[in-house]
Structure formats: structure tokens, C-alpha cells
Amino acid sequence: MSIYPILPHPTYDESDFATWEDGFSPAECDNIIQLGESLRLADSSVSPGVTEGSKINNAIRQSQNSWIPLDNRSKWLYDRIANISRCLNGLNWRFEISGFNEHLQYTKYDSTNKDFYGWHTDGYVKGDGPPRKLSLTIQLSDPNDYEGGDFQIHGSKLSTAPKARGLTVVFPSYTLHQVTPVTSGVRKSLVVWLVGPPFK
């Protein structure tokens, strides 16, 4: 039987998205950054939900990312994300979720090239797999370390998510969202998707 710890009560805005404050300590954020940096960083591509086929398109997205697999170094991270997403899903949407079917994506947005990710949705079906239903972003950088790089969600209205370090933002994967250009410093984040049976 799984044990789910009691976590701080989330805040949310009309169910467009939900946040979980202090889900990760500064030391844990540093640990995630170190893990992401230890893996192969490559130019970020865009998904079939944005263009036909996954490919690099700097007109839509410019950043670098690596993929963190489930192993002994990352199991604690997968477990923490599963607990937070389970709680927020139950409080807000109650989607039928089966779990992860992709690795965690560590992403760097550098001001050198004014990295960004334009408006897009995540809720596509990858191959024959189940569709993405919830998207989750963890803010790894201290907000004082960069300028720009606002994470915005356009659901019932346009909202800009808080930038607190260690904050987790969860939202339905079909919701439009973007990262505005980083104008100074480097923004680092972790992204993951939870999947489940098609909506009916």
C-alpha cells in the first residue's frame, strides 16, 4: 500500500492551474539542477501537437533540455511529483490518471539567445500511448537569478504563475501556455506530464 504524506494546502485560480508552494527545498532544487546538468543537454524540439513531427523550430521554442530517467538517483523525485500531482488532481480536476509515460524534462532558458517557448498545448497522443492529461512545472531557479521567463497560462483568462523557487504548477495539458523570453540570467525548470485514458 502506498503512503502519501500530508503536504501543504495548495492554492489555485479557478482551476485553470493549481500551485503547490515549497514542494521542493532550495537544496532539492540544486540537486535536481545538478542531475539535469549531468545528462546530455540538447536543443529543445517541439512536439507533434505544435508541428508535424518532433523537430527543432526556433520560431516556436528556443531552449535546451535533458531527460531524467527513473533510477536510484531520481526515484525520490518521481515519488514526490506523484504525490503532489495526485493531491492537486484530486482537489481540482479528478482526471483518470495512470501515471508517467515519459522521463522528466529538465529545461534551461538562457538570456544569451532570449530563450522562450511560444503558446502551445501539451495534450497530444505520443505514438500509440495514452494522451497527456496533466502538465506539471517545477520552478528550480531563484527568481532573482533571471528576468523575463514568465510562465503564463491562458485558460479562462490570462494568468502569470508565481516564480517562487521550489513552487510546483499543475494544469490540464490541453490548456494554452507559454514561457516568455528570458532577458537576463538563466531560468531552470523541470517539466513532466501525467497520462491517462482518453477523455470521454
PDB file of all heavy atoms in Angstrom, residues 91-110:
ATOM      1  N   LEU A  91      -8.033  17.404  -5.817  1.00  0.00           N
ATOM      2  CA  LEU A  91      -8.670  18.618  -5.318  1.00  0.00           C
ATOM      3  C   LEU A  91      -9.287  19.469  -6.433  1.00  0.00           C
ATOM      4  O   LEU A  91     -10.193  20.260  -6.167  1.00  0.00           O
ATOM      5  CB  LEU A  91      -7.641  19.466  -4.548  1.00  0.00           C
ATOM      6  CG  LEU A  91      -7.233  18.937  -3.181  1.00  0.00           C
ATOM      7  CD1 LEU A  91      -5.988  19.662  -2.686  1.00  0.00           C
ATOM      8  CD2 LEU A  91      -8.371  19.116  -2.180  1.00  0.00           C
ATOM      9  N   ASN A  92      -8.799  19.325  -7.666  1.00  0.00           N
ATOM     10  CA  ASN A  92      -9.210  20.244  -8.725  1.00  0.00           C
ATOM     11  C   ASN A  92      -9.932  19.612  -9.906  1.00  0.00           C
ATOM     12  O   ASN A  92     -10.966  20.112 -10.329  1.00  0.00           O
ATOM     13  CB  ASN A  92      -7.980  21.002  -9.241  1.00  0.00           C
ATOM     14  CG  ASN A  92      -7.415  21.951  -8.219  1.00  0.00           C
ATOM     15  OD1 ASN A  92      -7.884  23.065  -8.062  1.00  0.00           O
ATOM     16  ND2 ASN A  92      -6.389  21.505  -7.493  1.00  0.00           N
ATOM     17  N   TRP A  93      -9.401  18.520 -10.465  1.00  0.00           N
ATOM     18  CA  TRP A  93      -9.966  18.028 -11.733  1.00  0.00           C
ATOM     19  C   TRP A  93     -10.495  16.602 -11.648  1.00  0.00           C
ATOM     20  O   TRP A  93     -11.425  16.251 -12.328  1.00  0.00           O
ATOM     21  CB  TRP A  93      -8.891  18.115 -12.835  1.00  0.00           C
ATOM     22  CG  TRP A  93      -8.361  19.494 -12.987  1.00  0.00           C
ATOM     23  CD1 TRP A  93      -8.983  20.557 -13.591  1.00  0.00           C
ATOM     24  CD2 TRP A  93      -7.114  19.997 -12.494  1.00  0.00           C
ATOM     25  NE1 TRP A  93      -8.193  21.677 -13.509  1.00  0.00           N
ATOM     26  CE2 TRP A  93      -7.037  21.367 -12.842  1.00  0.00           C
ATOM     27  CE3 TRP A  93      -6.041  19.423 -11.804  1.00  0.00           C
ATOM     28  CZ2 TRP A  93      -5.932  22.156 -12.524  1.00  0.00           C
ATOM     29  CZ3 TRP A  93      -4.955  20.215 -11.480  1.00  0.00           C
ATOM     30  CH2 TRP A  93      -4.905  21.566 -11.843  1.00  0.00           C
ATOM     31  N   ARG A  94      -9.854  15.785 -10.863  1.00  0.00           N
ATOM     32  CA  ARG A  94     -10.237  14.367 -10.713  1.00  0.00           C
ATOM     33  C   ARG A  94     -10.183  13.631 -12.052  1.00  0.00           C
ATOM     34  O   ARG A  94     -11.055  12.812 -12.365  1.00  0.00           O
ATOM     35  CB  ARG A  94     -11.622  14.244 -10.067  1.00  0.00           C
ATOM     36  CG  ARG A  94     -11.662  14.841  -8.672  1.00  0.00           C
ATOM     37  CD  ARG A  94     -12.987  14.643  -7.982  1.00  0.00           C
ATOM     38  NE  ARG A  94     -12.978  15.272  -6.670  1.00  0.00           N
ATOM     39  CZ  ARG A  94     -14.014  15.293  -5.843  1.00  0.00           C
ATOM     40  NH1 ARG A  94     -15.160  14.723  -6.208  1.00  0.00           N
ATOM     41  NH2 ARG A  94     -13.934  15.885  -4.674  1.00  0.00           N
ATOM     42  N   PHE A  95      -9.161  13.924 -12.842  1.00  0.00           N
ATOM     43  CA  PHE A  95      -8.944  13.192 -14.084  1.00  0.00           C
ATOM     44  C   PHE A  95      -8.521  11.761 -13.757  1.00  0.00           C
ATOM     45  O   PHE A  95      -7.905  11.499 -12.714  1.00  0.00           O
ATOM     46  CB  PHE A  95      -7.827  13.832 -14.908  1.00  0.00           C
ATOM     47  CG  PHE A  95      -8.153  15.185 -15.479  1.00  0.00           C
ATOM     48  CD1 PHE A  95      -7.134  16.028 -15.888  1.00  0.00           C
ATOM     49  CD2 PHE A  95      -9.467  15.621 -15.628  1.00  0.00           C
ATOM     50  CE1 PHE A  95      -7.410  17.275 -16.427  1.00  0.00           C
ATOM     51  CE2 PHE A  95      -9.761  16.868 -16.163  1.00  0.00           C
ATOM     52  CZ  PHE A  95      -8.729  17.696 -16.565  1.00  0.00           C
ATOM     53  N   GLU A  96      -8.843  10.835 -14.650  1.00  0.00           N
ATOM     54  CA  GLU A  96      -8.369   9.461 -14.509  1.00  0.00           C
ATOM     55  C   GLU A  96      -6.918   9.423 -15.005  1.00  0.00           C
ATOM     56  O   GLU A  96      -6.661   9.576 -16.199  1.00  0.00           O
ATOM     57  CB  GLU A  96      -9.244   8.506 -15.308  1.00  0.00           C
ATOM     58  CG  GLU A  96      -8.891   7.045 -15.101  1.00  0.00           C
ATOM     59  CD  GLU A  96      -9.827   6.104 -15.835  1.00  0.00           C
ATOM     60  OE1 GLU A  96     -10.817   6.569 -16.426  1.00  0.00           O
ATOM     61  OE2 GLU A  96      -9.545   4.884 -15.836  1.00  0.00           O
ATOM     62  N   ILE A  97      -6.003   9.228 -14.084  1.00  0.00           N
ATOM     63  CA  ILE A  97      -4.570   9.271 -14.390  1.00  0.00           C
ATOM     64  C   ILE A  97      -3.966   7.886 -14.166  1.00  0.00           C
ATOM     65  O   ILE A  97      -4.218   7.248 -13.138  1.00  0.00           O
ATOM     66  CB  ILE A  97      -3.843  10.295 -13.496  1.00  0.00           C
ATOM     67  CG1 ILE A  97      -4.390  11.708 -13.735  1.00  0.00           C
ATOM     68  CG2 ILE A  97      -2.338  10.237 -13.723  1.00  0.00           C
ATOM     69  CD1 ILE A  97      -4.112  12.278 -15.098  1.00  0.00           C
ATOM     70  N   SER A  98      -3.147   7.443 -15.133  1.00  0.00           N
ATOM     71  CA  SER A  98      -2.489   6.146 -14.973  1.00  0.00           C
ATOM     72  C   SER A  98      -1.026   6.280 -14.569  1.00  0.00           C
ATOM     73  O   SER A  98      -0.436   5.318 -14.098  1.00  0.00           O
ATOM     74  CB  SER A  98      -2.605   5.332 -16.266  1.00  0.00           C
ATOM     75  OG  SER A  98      -2.116   6.059 -17.373  1.00  0.00           O
ATOM     76  N   GLY A  99      -0.421   7.464 -14.761  1.00  0.00           N
ATOM     77  CA  GLY A  99       0.962   7.660 -14.336  1.00  0.00           C
ATOM     78  C   GLY A  99       1.771   8.424 -15.361  1.00  0.00           C
ATOM     79  O   GLY A  99       1.233   9.175 -16.179  1.00  0.00           O
ATOM     80  N   PHE A 100       3.098   8.210 -15.318  1.00  0.00           N
ATOM     81  CA  PHE A 100       4.010   8.833 -16.274  1.00  0.00           C
ATOM     82  C   PHE A 100       4.252   7.867 -17.438  1.00  0.00           C
ATOM     83  O   PHE A 100       4.297   6.671 -17.229  1.00  0.00           O
ATOM     84  CB  PHE A 100       5.380   9.121 -15.641  1.00  0.00           C
ATOM     85  CG  PHE A 100       5.334   9.826 -14.315  1.00  0.00           C
ATOM     86  CD1 PHE A 100       5.588   9.149 -13.135  1.00  0.00           C
ATOM     87  CD2 PHE A 100       5.058  11.171 -14.244  1.00  0.00           C
ATOM     88  CE1 PHE A 100       5.569   9.797 -11.917  1.00  0.00           C
ATOM     89  CE2 PHE A 100       5.042  11.839 -13.023  1.00  0.00           C
ATOM     90  CZ  PHE A 100       5.287  11.141 -11.855  1.00  0.00           C
ATOM     91  N   ASN A 101       4.452   8.396 -18.642  1.00  0.00           N
ATOM     92  CA  ASN A 101       4.953   7.522 -19.709  1.00  0.00           C
ATOM     93  C   ASN A 101       6.150   8.156 -20.412  1.00  0.00           C
ATOM     94  O   ASN A 101       6.577   7.696 -21.462  1.00  0.00           O
ATOM     95  CB  ASN A 101       3.857   7.155 -20.714  1.00  0.00           C
ATOM     96  CG  ASN A 101       3.540   8.285 -21.673  1.00  0.00           C
ATOM     97  OD1 ASN A 101       3.741   9.455 -21.364  1.00  0.00           O
ATOM     98  ND2 ASN A 101       3.033   7.946 -22.849  1.00  0.00           N
ATOM     99  N   GLU A 102       6.691   9.232 -19.804  1.00  0.00           N
ATOM    100  CA  GLU A 102       7.881   9.887 -20.324  1.00  0.00           C
ATOM    101  C   GLU A 102       8.786  10.254 -19.159  1.00  0.00           C
ATOM    102  O   GLU A 102       8.332  10.386 -18.019  1.00  0.00           O
ATOM    103  CB  GLU A 102       7.511  11.162 -21.095  1.00  0.00           C
ATOM    104  CG  GLU A 102       6.637  10.913 -22.311  1.00  0.00           C
ATOM    105  CD  GLU A 102       6.138  12.217 -22.923  1.00  0.00           C
ATOM    106  OE1 GLU A 102       6.923  12.838 -23.671  1.00  0.00           O
ATOM    107  OE2 GLU A 102       4.993  12.596 -22.654  1.00  0.00           O
ATOM    108  N   HIS A 103      10.072  10.432 -19.452  1.00  0.00           N
ATOM    109  CA  HIS A 103      11.003  10.869 -18.420  1.00  0.00           C
ATOM    110  C   HIS A 103      10.748  12.332 -18.061  1.00  0.00           C
ATOM    111  O   HIS A 103      10.040  13.057 -18.773  1.00  0.00           O
ATOM    112  CB  HIS A 103      12.446  10.706 -18.923  1.00  0.00           C
ATOM    113  CG  HIS A 103      12.837   9.275 -19.128  1.00  0.00           C
ATOM    114  ND1 HIS A 103      13.878   8.897 -19.944  1.00  0.00           N
ATOM    115  CD2 HIS A 103      12.319   8.123 -18.628  1.00  0.00           C
ATOM    116  CE1 HIS A 103      13.996   7.591 -19.935  1.00  0.00           C
ATOM    117  NE2 HIS A 103      13.063   7.091 -19.154  1.00  0.00           N
ATOM    118  N   LEU A 104      11.345  12.769 -16.969  1.00  0.00           N
ATOM    119  CA  LEU A 104      11.245  14.164 -16.540  1.00  0.00           C
ATOM    120  C   LEU A 104      12.130  15.022 -17.436  1.00  0.00           C
ATOM    121  O   LEU A 104      13.260  14.655 -17.749  1.00  0.00           O
ATOM    122  CB  LEU A 104      11.692  14.317 -15.087  1.00  0.00           C
ATOM    123  CG  LEU A 104      11.088  13.346 -14.064  1.00  0.00           C
ATOM    124  CD1 LEU A 104      11.639  13.652 -12.677  1.00  0.00           C
ATOM    125  CD2 LEU A 104       9.578  13.408 -14.079  1.00  0.00           C
ATOM    126  N   GLN A 105      11.617  16.186 -17.833  1.00  0.00           N
ATOM    127  CA  GLN A 105      12.364  17.070 -18.725  1.00  0.00           C
ATOM    128  C   GLN A 105      12.940  18.249 -17.942  1.00  0.00           C
ATOM    129  O   GLN A 105      12.206  19.094 -17.437  1.00  0.00           O
ATOM    130  CB  GLN A 105      11.468  17.585 -19.847  1.00  0.00           C
ATOM    131  CG  GLN A 105      12.214  18.437 -20.873  1.00  0.00           C
ATOM    132  CD  GLN A 105      11.286  19.042 -21.905  1.00  0.00           C
ATOM    133  OE1 GLN A 105      10.916  20.203 -21.798  1.00  0.00           O
ATOM    134  NE2 GLN A 105      10.891  18.244 -22.883  1.00  0.00           N
ATOM    135  N   TYR A 106      14.268  18.293 -17.869  1.00  0.00           N
ATOM    136  CA  TYR A 106      14.972  19.428 -17.270  1.00  0.00           C
ATOM    137  C   TYR A 106      15.248  20.429 -18.390  1.00  0.00           C
ATOM    138  O   TYR A 106      15.780  20.069 -19.439  1.00  0.00           O
ATOM    139  CB  TYR A 106      16.277  18.952 -16.644  1.00  0.00           C
ATOM    140  CG  TYR A 106      17.224  20.075 -16.273  1.00  0.00           C
ATOM    141  CD1 TYR A 106      16.970  20.890 -15.172  1.00  0.00           C
ATOM    142  CD2 TYR A 106      18.378  20.318 -17.021  1.00  0.00           C
ATOM    143  CE1 TYR A 106      17.845  21.919 -14.832  1.00  0.00           C
ATOM    144  CE2 TYR A 106      19.250  21.335 -16.693  1.00  0.00           C
ATOM    145  CZ  TYR A 106      18.983  22.133 -15.599  1.00  0.00           C
ATOM    146  OH  TYR A 106      19.840  23.154 -15.277  1.00  0.00           O
ATOM    147  N   THR A 107      14.872  21.704 -18.182  1.00  0.00           N
ATOM    148  CA  THR A 107      14.980  22.698 -19.252  1.00  0.00           C
ATOM    149  C   THR A 107      15.687  23.953 -18.771  1.00  0.00           C
ATOM    150  O   THR A 107      15.451  24.432 -17.661  1.00  0.00           O
ATOM    151  CB  THR A 107      13.584  23.075 -19.781  1.00  0.00           C
ATOM    152  OG1 THR A 107      12.877  21.891 -20.143  1.00  0.00           O
ATOM    153  CG2 THR A 107      13.694  23.972 -21.006  1.00  0.00           C
ATOM    154  N   LYS A 108      16.553  24.490 -19.642  1.00  0.00           N
ATOM    155  CA  LYS A 108      17.278  25.742 -19.389  1.00  0.00           C
ATOM    156  C   LYS A 108      16.875  26.776 -20.436  1.00  0.00           C
ATOM    157  O   LYS A 108      16.940  26.506 -21.637  1.00  0.00           O
ATOM    158  CB  LYS A 108      18.792  25.525 -19.474  1.00  0.00           C
ATOM    159  CG  LYS A 108      19.385  24.750 -18.342  1.00  0.00           C
ATOM    160  CD  LYS A 108      20.872  24.516 -18.577  1.00  0.00           C
ATOM    161  CE  LYS A 108      21.667  25.801 -18.565  1.00  0.00           C
ATOM    162  NZ  LYS A 108      23.139  25.546 -18.651  1.00  0.00           N
ATOM    163  N   TYR A 109      16.469  27.946 -19.947  1.00  0.00           N
ATOM    164  CA  TYR A 109      16.173  29.086 -20.811  1.00  0.00           C
ATOM    165  C   TYR A 109      17.244  30.147 -20.542  1.00  0.00           C
ATOM    166  O   TYR A 109      17.274  30.721 -19.454  1.00  0.00           O
ATOM    167  CB  TYR A 109      14.788  29.647 -20.526  1.00  0.00           C
ATOM    168  CG  TYR A 109      13.643  28.725 -20.869  1.00  0.00           C
ATOM    169  CD1 TYR A 109      13.177  27.793 -19.944  1.00  0.00           C
ATOM    170  CD2 TYR A 109      13.014  28.795 -22.113  1.00  0.00           C
ATOM    171  CE1 TYR A 109      12.115  26.950 -20.256  1.00  0.00           C
ATOM    172  CE2 TYR A 109      11.955  27.956 -22.432  1.00  0.00           C
ATOM    173  CZ  TYR A 109      11.517  27.042 -21.495  1.00  0.00           C
ATOM    174  OH  TYR A 109      10.472  26.213 -21.801  1.00  0.00           O
ATOM    175  N   ASP A 110      18.110  30.407 -21.519  1.00  0.00           N
ATOM    176  CA  ASP A 110      19.250  31.303 -21.349  1.00  0.00           C
ATOM    177  C   ASP A 110      18.961  32.651 -21.994  1.00  0.00           C
ATOM    178  O   ASP A 110      18.402  32.714 -23.095  1.00  0.00           O
ATOM    179  CB  ASP A 110      20.487  30.666 -21.982  1.00  0.00           C
ATOM    180  CG  ASP A 110      21.782  31.300 -21.507  1.00  0.00           C
ATOM    181  OD1 ASP A 110      21.869  32.545 -21.513  1.00  0.00           O
ATOM    182  OD2 ASP A 110      22.701  30.550 -21.136  1.00  0.00           O
TER     183      ASP A 110
END
